[in-house]
Amino acid sequence: MALSENLDQFHGLPVFDLVPALDEGAELPDAAAVAWKIGLDYDSEETFEQRWEQFLAAVDTERVTAVVIGAWWQDEQEPAAETVRLVAGSAGRLPALRALFFGEVTYEQCEISWIQQSDVTPFLTAFPRLAELVVRGASGGWDGEPGLVLQPVRHEALRTLRFESGGLPGEVVRAVGACDFPALESLELWLGVDQYGGDATMADLEPILGGLRLPALRRLGLLDSLAQDEIAAAVAHAPVVARLDHLGLAMGVLTDEGAGALLEGQPLTHLISLDLHHHFLTKPMQQRLTEALPGVEVDLSEAGAPDERWRYVAVAE
């Protein structure tokens, strides 16, 4: 989904935007039939806390399985800490919650690298049965707030984890590698660029590529990086790859050097799909990839010019 578009599906359910429905007095759907979106429009007269309380009052929240949090600020952005506490503090009212998208904000509302995040660990500790967590944004606050934080935890139920950012802090990547996620099947990290806080190193990725704490992992995306060639070279020999069905090295500045290293490493013919979209590969290398992986669905769309001097990731600011 492009970041300029509103989410229409989440966790296999249609997204239902609660706020306009409440404002218009519309009939609400069955509590378990949709993913409930709660957020504020620009210049909203309500606070997020007021909207959240309306959600808790209007919906049978004991049957809600998916929640999408949009913008939690009004005309001036606020760090996410209070909103995290508010949502996590309502865990007792949301016993069936299985999926949470925190920060579903389009770039018309706020550039992804300006979304001021906070410590999202409380979502994992408050919702032990959560199966899917998606977080968008990673920036700190203008007043020195630290931005996106994750503490190493063990979570028995989480199956899908995705961090979308224009710059994912190395501390978060290290925390993901230090977490115990025995049920995690899908992990996607938008690493981004240093200018927006994306300072993860290859050493930070090593625990993830080793896969010791990720025994169920079947889908791995290490995306949107200026170091995509180095990541591809590391992936070529990573133990976790042998048990993957889907591998993503897309959205970054992958060149023939990285693609060549990938092909010269361990076999990839067991994969169902290899996502390399938004790349800077030559035509011969693209052909080499498809010929070497005849049974694999290889996405080579959004090709950039291989001789482009200024290569760019798909998502930064």
Side-chain angles (χ1 to χ4, degrees):
M1 187 197 76
L3 296 184
S4 59
E5 301 171 355
N6 286 312
L7 193 70
D8 56 10
Q9 291 274 331
F10 180 56
H11 202 63
L13 296 170
V15 174
F16 183 83
D17 197 339
L18 178 67
V19 171
L22 289 177
D23 290 345
E24 296 167 9
E27 182 178 353
L28 300 182
D30 181 80
V34 300
W36 295 87
K37 180 175 179 179
I38 304 97
L40 300 180
D41 293 326
Y42 183 75
D43 283 339
S44 172
E45 295 183 359
E46 305 283 341
T47 65
F48 184 86
E49 182 175 5
Q50 289 172 320
R51 288 303 193 186
W52 184 253
E53 291 299 329
Q54 289 174 337
F55 163 65
L56 295 178
V59 178
D60 181 5
T61 56
E62 291 195 354
R63 299 181 59 247
V64 169
T65 60
V67 168
V68 176
I69 304 297
W72 51 83
W73 61 91
Q74 296 160 306
D75 56 345
E76 185 174 335
Q77 192 179 163
E78 302 168 1
E82 288 299 326
T83 306
V84 172
R85 282 192 285 269
L86 182 66
V87 175
S90 303
R93 303 281 299 275
L94 293 160
L97 190 70
R98 298 293 179 271
L100 175 63
F101 192 137
F102 189 68
E104 200 280 299
V105 178
T106 67
Y107 75 66
E108 287 90 349
Q109 297 170 289
C110 182
E111 298 285 1
I112 189 170
S113 292
W114 297 358
I115 300 173
Q116 297 178 31
Q117 277 293 355
S118 183
D119 188 345
V120 296
T121 315
F123 294 142
L124 296 175
T125 55
F127 298 103
R129 300 177 70 186
L130 196 68
E132 181 171 2
L133 175 62
V134 179
V135 179
R136 181 175 291 170
S139 175
W142 312 129
D143 56 356
E145 290 284 335
L148 182 64
V149 172
L150 177 69
Q151 305 291 338
V153 296
R154 180 176 177 88
H155 195 286
E156 301 286 349
L158 195 68
R159 297 175 62 183
T160 298
L161 177 63
R162 184 168 78 248
F163 286 109
E164 300 181 354
S165 77
L168 191 63
E171 289 186 3
V172 174
V173 176
R174 290 192 292 274
V176 171
C179 286
D180 284 308
F181 291 135
L184 196 71
E185 298 175 355
S186 178
L187 173 63
E188 190 172 303
L189 305 178
W190 297 17
L191 298 167
V193 300
D194 183 70
Q195 180 181 357
Y196 295 109
D199 58 357
T201 66
M202 296 308 303
D204 296 335
L205 293 171
E206 285 179 3
I208 295 171
L209 295 175
L212 292 177
R213 292 186 172 92
L214 303 168
L217 197 68
R218 297 295 179 267
R219 180 185 296 270
L220 175 63
L222 301 174
L223 313 173
D224 199 52
S225 177
L226 292 173
Q228 210 71 58
D229 283 347
E230 290 86 347
I231 292 172
V235 164
H237 304 283
V240 74
V241 172
R243 53 183 144 90
L244 296 180
D245 295 326
H246 306 276
L247 173 62
L249 301 172
M251 299 169 61
V253 295
L254 186 70
T255 70
D256 283 8
E257 178 182 351
L262 197 62
L263 288 177
E264 290 163 10
Q266 62 189 302
L268 299 174
T269 51
H270 65 288
L271 293 175
I272 295 173
S273 70
L274 175 62
D275 183 6
L276 302 177
H277 82 271
H278 185 96
H279 59 83
F280 294 85
L281 304 178
T282 63
K283 290 290 186 182
M285 179 55 76
Q286 294 181 51
Q287 182 175 354
R288 183 181 166 193
L289 279 163
T290 55
E291 290 177 352
L293 304 169
V296 180
E297 180 184 340
V298 182
D299 187 346
L300 292 166
S301 60
E302 299 180 38
D307 58 353
E308 176 64 59
R309 296 181 62 185
W310 183 66
R311 301 186 181 117
Y312 52 91
V313 301
V315 176
E317 187 174 25

